[in-house]
């Protein structure tokens, strides 16, 4: 669904089923990986439970979205990141693995202001130079202008490829959190809603003409609260398990919507 601005809403109770930090990390990792596979632009964490872990979920998702060459510089050592080694790689265009080349887009960390502009870490063997005075210690997107004795870059972001997701933690309930997105179409998921197979045409018609779509997911102990959505849908009709975990519902639902829009990632 790369041609629309796609947001998914997940509860801060996502990790409430377990006290094991490693399992919590793995669960959040599945969300981040699914979001990257299907080109989600925004992951919004809404308040669902008094003991929710919005901060932990946000940190793990942001860690995943950050290119590997910047992670140790952007994230301090903290116990919440103890098990990040088990997280699946996103392998998205903004996570390059080789040396930079001219014309390439890269994310970089602004390191230091100098007379010529700002020195930026873009994962090269030396710092790159941006000729603009930028705020220090900030991750931004750049285009590589020139290589050589000096790597010259400029702030820029590609328009024709997926460039990762943004994470928002509102600390508010679902209804108020929805206002942060201003979606044209809001899709609520529930096992008690109409099966996707019976309202396929209705769902497809709503999503196809939208510029901004929001898909809502419930938590491990309860479904979504009563919410004013454009369509309620069960994307896993005939489920054979008593429950479907949130991370499983996200992957299944995004797969269905990807099929409906028939948009291939390029």
């Amino acid at each position: 669904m790369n041609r629309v601005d796609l947001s998914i809403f997940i509860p801060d109770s996502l990790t409430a089923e377990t006290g094991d930090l490693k399992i919590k990390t793995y669960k959040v990792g599945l969300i981040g990986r699914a979001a990257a596979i299907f080109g989600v632009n925004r992951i919004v964490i809404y308040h669902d439970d008094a003991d929710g872990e919005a901060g932990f979920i946000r940190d793990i998702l942001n860690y995943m979205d950050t290119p590997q060459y910047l992670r140790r510089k952007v994230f301090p050592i903290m116990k919440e990141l103890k098990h990040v080694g088990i997280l699946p790689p996103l392998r998205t265009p903004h996570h390059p693995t080789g040396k930079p080349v001219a014309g390439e887009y890269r994310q970089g960390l602004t390191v230091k202001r100098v007379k010529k502009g700002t020195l930026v870490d873009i994962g090269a063997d030396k710092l790159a130079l941006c000729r603009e005075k930028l705020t220090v210690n900030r991750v931004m997107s750049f285009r590589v202008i020139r290589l050589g004795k000096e790597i010259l870059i400029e702030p820029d972001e590609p328009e024709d490829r997926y460039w990762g997701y943004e994470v928002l933690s509102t600390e508010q309930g679902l209804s108020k959190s929805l206002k942060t997105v201003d979606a044209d179409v809001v899709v609520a998921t529930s096992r008690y809603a109409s099966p996707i197979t019976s309202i396929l045409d209705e769902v497809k018609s709503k999503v196809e003409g939208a510029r901004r779509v929001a898909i809502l997911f419930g938590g491990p102990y309860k479904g979504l609260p009563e919410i004013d959505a454009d369509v309620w849908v069960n994307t896993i009709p005939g489920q054979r398990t008593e429950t479907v975990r949130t991370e499983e519902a996200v992957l299944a639902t995004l797969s269905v919507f990807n099929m409906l829009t028939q948009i291939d990632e390029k």
Side-chain angles (χ1 to χ4, degrees):
M1 297 180 67
N2 292 336
R3 296 181 187 175
V4 299
D5 185 281
L6 175 60
S7 299
I8 61 172
F9 285 69
I10 61 173
D12 60 4
S13 61
L14 169 72
T15 54
E17 288 180 300
T18 178
D20 189 309
L21 183 61
K22 190 172 185 178
I23 297 177
K24 290 177 186 286
T25 303
Y26 178 72
K27 287 171 69 71
V28 179
L30 294 177
I31 298 284
R33 176 67 176 173
I37 289 173
F38 295 107
V40 170
N41 302 99
R42 194 172 300 100
I43 303 175
V44 183
I45 307 165
Y46 66 89
H47 181 59
D48 178 56
D49 189 271
D51 298 320
E53 297 180 298
F56 170 77
I57 298 169
R58 179 196 63 226
D59 288 343
I60 296 296
L61 289 173
N62 279 329
Y63 183 92
M64 292 182 71
D65 188 60
T66 302
Q68 291 89 331
Y69 55 83
L70 294 180
R71 288 174 178 175
R72 290 187 178 182
K73 297 168 184 176
V74 173
F75 293 89
I77 296 176
M78 50 186 178
K79 65 178 183 179
E80 290 79 8
L81 300 180
K82 180 179 180 180
H83 298 294
V84 292
I86 69 171
L87 293 171
L90 297 190
R91 298 299 299 272
T92 47
H94 72 309
H95 283 200
T97 55
K99 295 181 180 180
V101 297
E104 180 185 27
Y105 293 90
R106 285 208 169 209
Q107 287 196 327
L109 175 67
T110 55
V111 175
K112 181 182 179 180
R113 282 191 177 186
V114 293
K115 187 176 181 179
K116 291 183 178 180
T118 308
L119 295 178
V120 183
D121 186 345
I122 62 168
D125 54 7
K126 57 186 174 183
L127 296 177
L129 173 67
C130 176
R131 288 177 174 165
E132 298 182 24
K133 298 287 186 179
L134 303 173
T135 302
V136 174
N137 201 33
R138 179 184 173 193
V139 176
M140 298 177 56
S141 296
F142 299 88
R143 186 167 68 91
V144 179
I145 303 300
R146 187 180 67 212
L147 298 172
K149 290 184 178 180
E150 184 177 70
I151 302 175
L152 186 63
I153 60 175
E154 66 179 6
D156 199 0
E157 184 172 311
E159 298 180 358
D160 60 347
R161 68 190 71 174
Y162 180 61
W163 208 240
Y165 53 74
E166 174 188 12
V167 183
L168 298 178
S169 179
T170 66
E171 299 183 355
Q172 296 179 319
L174 183 55
S175 294
K176 291 185 178 180
S177 296
L178 265 173
K179 297 178 181 179
T180 64
V181 171
D182 190 27
D184 300 318
V185 174
V186 177
V187 179
T189 61
S190 171
R191 67 177 298 181
Y192 302 108
S194 299
I196 185 69
T197 48
S198 67
I199 57 172
L200 197 62
D201 291 340
E202 176 188 350
V203 175
K204 185 176 181 179
S205 65
K206 289 181 180 295
V207 174
E208 279 184 330
R211 290 179 296 121
R212 295 180 299 275
V213 175
I215 305 179
L216 319 180
F217 298 93
Y221 298 122
K222 55 185 177 181
L224 288 171
E226 289 297 324
I227 194 79
D228 185 17
D230 293 287
V231 61
W232 284 79
V233 62
N234 177 2
T235 56
I236 314 177
Q239 66 184 61
R240 300 299 189 266
T241 56
E242 183 177 348
T243 60
V244 172
R245 295 171 178 171
T246 304
E247 63 272 20
E248 296 166 337
V250 168
L251 183 60
T253 301
L254 291 179
S255 178
V256 168
F257 276 81
N258 183 66
M259 176 197 68
L260 286 178
T261 55
Q262 297 181 1
I263 296 174
D264 296 326
E265 185 167 343
K266 297 181 179 179

